[in-house]
Amino acid sequence: MTTVISYVNSAFSVILSDNRINYGHNQEGGYQDGFNKLINLPEMGWSSGAGLSDFLVEIKDQLGAFDIKNTDDILHLFKDVLNKAKENNVLYKKEIDESVIVSSWLGSDGNDVFFRVGMLSNKHFGINLRVLEKGEIDIVYPGDYLSNIQRVEEIKEKFNLTIGETDLFMALNEMLQIFDVISSNSTQVSRTCDIGLFTFQEDGVYKIRTSGDVEELKKHINNKELGENAELVNVIKFNSEGN
């Protein structure tokens, strides 16, 4: 398992993921840090997930390979990959169903463009897409948190997960504070993380990635900086009418 923290509002979206791979249900095979679990989806935004790694890699590869036009395309793709994965991995059906995929993309109603973050999990949502509400922080918890519900309740009591429309650095600060607590108390989560951003600027939508140790990232965010590893991945330019 891993942890993924996401947030969306009218001006930007964020997906934050740790980078630890755990071998075995209870790390009986050890673990490895520095594994990239935040995937750039060229035709969408960013994607990460928690659960069975082979299934997560496959669904993220498929999301990145296809020209996704709408949420129906996402659901059809998810259903197809889910069914094939369970046919080919009969012993891991439970783990596949429990896996959670988190992705971001740009939506449009024909006039306005807006940010979306959605979650897929057969156990939790069936063949449906849970779309994150604006102003809401969502947390996919690691396995050792899910097996001790008191830890989850402590996070909910300690942090405001409905922060509303706020600026980028305030949102990132809150998300990193949450990640700091979880990664300090979970053996399944690394102290380093990767962050994928989608944000409006004057000339278009900027796709940005940054990463690093949580303590260092918190210092940068407090100074309203994205950190030394920040990278501009892509810019989707507005046309001359500003649409």
Side-chain angles (χ1 to χ4, degrees):
M1 288 291 286
T2 187
T3 192
V4 183
I5 305 173
S6 51
Y7 170 82
V8 63
N9 68 12
S10 300
F12 58 88
S13 68
V14 186
I15 294 179
L16 182 156
S17 174
D18 87 306
N19 54 38
R20 175 168 293 178
I21 288 291
N22 298 286
Y23 301 106
H25 289 291
N26 299 300
Q27 279 185 335
E28 55 268 25
Y31 66 86
Q32 179 182 348
D33 286 349
F35 186 89
N36 178 31
K37 294 190 286 190
L38 179 70
I39 305 302
N40 174 21
L41 304 177
E43 301 300 326
M44 296 175 60
W46 300 97
S47 186
S48 190
L52 188 67
S53 60
D54 288 348
F55 170 65
L56 294 174
V57 168
E58 179 64 20
I59 189 70
K60 287 183 285 187
D61 284 349
Q62 293 292 328
L63 284 169
F66 287 91
D67 183 12
I68 303 295
K69 300 295 186 183
N70 51 52
T71 55
D72 285 341
D73 289 344
I74 297 175
L75 294 177
H76 290 152
L77 187 151
F78 174 66
K79 182 178 180 180
D80 184 55
V81 175
L82 177 77
N83 290 336
K84 288 180 179 178
K86 290 199 288 186
E87 288 175 7
N88 297 329
N89 301 275
V90 177
L91 296 177
Y92 294 98
K93 284 185 176 181
K94 179 176 180 289
E95 288 80 1
I96 291 170
D97 281 335
E98 291 176 344
S99 297
V100 182
I101 298 96
V102 183
S103 299
S104 62
W105 67 94
L106 284 175
S108 175
D109 59 8
N111 296 308
D112 297 322
V113 175
F114 41 83
F115 295 108
R116 285 284 185 261
V117 173
M119 295 85 181
L120 295 162
S121 173
N122 195 40
K123 176 182 177 180
H124 300 291
F125 317 120
I127 308 299
N128 296 291
L129 182 68
R130 178 187 176 245
V131 177
L132 188 62
E133 295 290 336
K134 288 182 180 180
E136 177 186 352
I137 293 176
D138 182 84
I139 305 170
V140 179
Y141 291 95
D144 52 5
Y145 261 70
L146 294 176
S147 63
N148 183 351
I149 199 65
Q150 183 177 348
R151 287 184 171 185
V152 174
E153 293 303 319
E154 287 172 353
I155 293 292
K156 293 179 179 179
E157 291 174 6
K158 183 178 179 64
F159 297 98
N160 177 17
L161 302 183
T162 305
I163 59 176
E165 295 276 349
T166 188
D167 68 52
L168 177 61
F169 291 102
M170 288 184 68
L172 286 172
N173 178 67
E174 191 74 3
M175 295 170 76
L176 285 168
Q177 295 289 346
I178 295 169
F179 180 81
D180 188 10
V181 172
I182 293 175
S183 62
S184 295
N185 292 286
S186 171
T187 61
Q188 299 179 356
V189 177
S190 62
R191 290 291 289 167
T192 50
C193 64
D194 299 305
I195 302 173
L197 307 173
F198 242 175
T199 178
F200 283 128
Q201 300 294 324
E202 290 184 1
D203 57 342
V205 179
Y206 280 47
K207 197 173 185 179
I208 301 168
R209 178 190 182 103
T210 191
S211 60
D213 178 85
V214 61
E215 293 295 345
E216 292 301 316
L217 284 171
K218 284 163 58 180
K219 292 176 183 176
H220 285 297
I221 296 305
N222 284 336
N223 292 326
K224 299 192 180 302
E225 304 167 345
L226 291 178
E228 57 192 23
N229 294 319
E231 173 190 5
L232 178 60
V233 175
N234 190 23
V235 179
I236 302 171
K237 293 287 188 179
F238 292 138
N239 62 27
S240 58
E241 284 77 31
N243 296 320

